[in-house]
Amino acid sequence: MKIQALTIGLSVRHPQYGIGTVKTISEQTAEVRFSDTLRTVDPELSGLVPAEPSLTASGLDQPLGQFVESTIEKIIERLGLEKADDVVTELGTRWQKGTMILRPSDPSLQTKEIPLEILFHKIVGIRNQLRVLEQKVNAHTVLTDADKVEMQQYVTRCYGSLTTFNLLFKNKEGQFSSKGE
């Protein structure tokens, strides 16, 4: 391992001493704490290697931060998750800035008001989690086809139960369907 690859606090593995933590680095050697012993080693000659997985990315045409951000966005999209701002744009225009009022039958009890954006966000969250569940059931390697069909029927029934909330959606593509999605 090159001395330039070492950083203080890096977990490393030595063929004789096992796993240790880099404490100091000089021009040719590093002090590494193995168990309770501090040892000076030459990382290039001693067979020292990182003890944790590491990544080297070369040839990136964009800054690392931008690369990580775009990767996270793709993961969120693939999992069917959405950002809060995206959810509100799915809410029908007539419902935006609206309020759901829950009024108990007992007039001595206080009513509860919930902004429709919050309710809608929770409903879309349920939809997204059902989509992920559906994907996981269909891709499961241990379940039999009969088990998958049975579980898929439960998911379909959940979609059907949530069709009441379809009136909140701006577009039909986001709505619940009793046939599943």
Side-chain angles (χ1 to χ4, degrees), residues 34 43 61 70 83 103 114 168:
F34 296 99
D61 294 336
S70 67
K83 295 183 252 175
R103 187 170 290 117
I114 302 170
L168 295 173

Side-chain angles (χ1 to χ4, degrees), residues 131-150:
R131 287 178 178 170
V132 172
L133 176 62
E134 191 172 28
Q135 291 171 358
K136 287 187 177 238
V137 166
N138 290 333
H140 203 283
T141 56
V142 178
L143 292 173
T144 66
D145 286 344
D147 290 337
K148 289 179 183 180
V149 167
E150 181 183 357

Side-chain angles (χ1 to χ4, degrees), residues 10-22 32-35 37 39 41 46-52:
L10 179 69
S11 183
V12 292
R13 182 184 314 273
H14 188 277
Q16 182 180 352
Y17 307 126
I19 295 178
T21 304
V22 176
V32 181
R33 178 163 307 282
F34 296 99
S35 300
T37 306
R39 299 190 183 270
V41 296
S46 66
L48 203 62
V49 295
E52 302 169 354

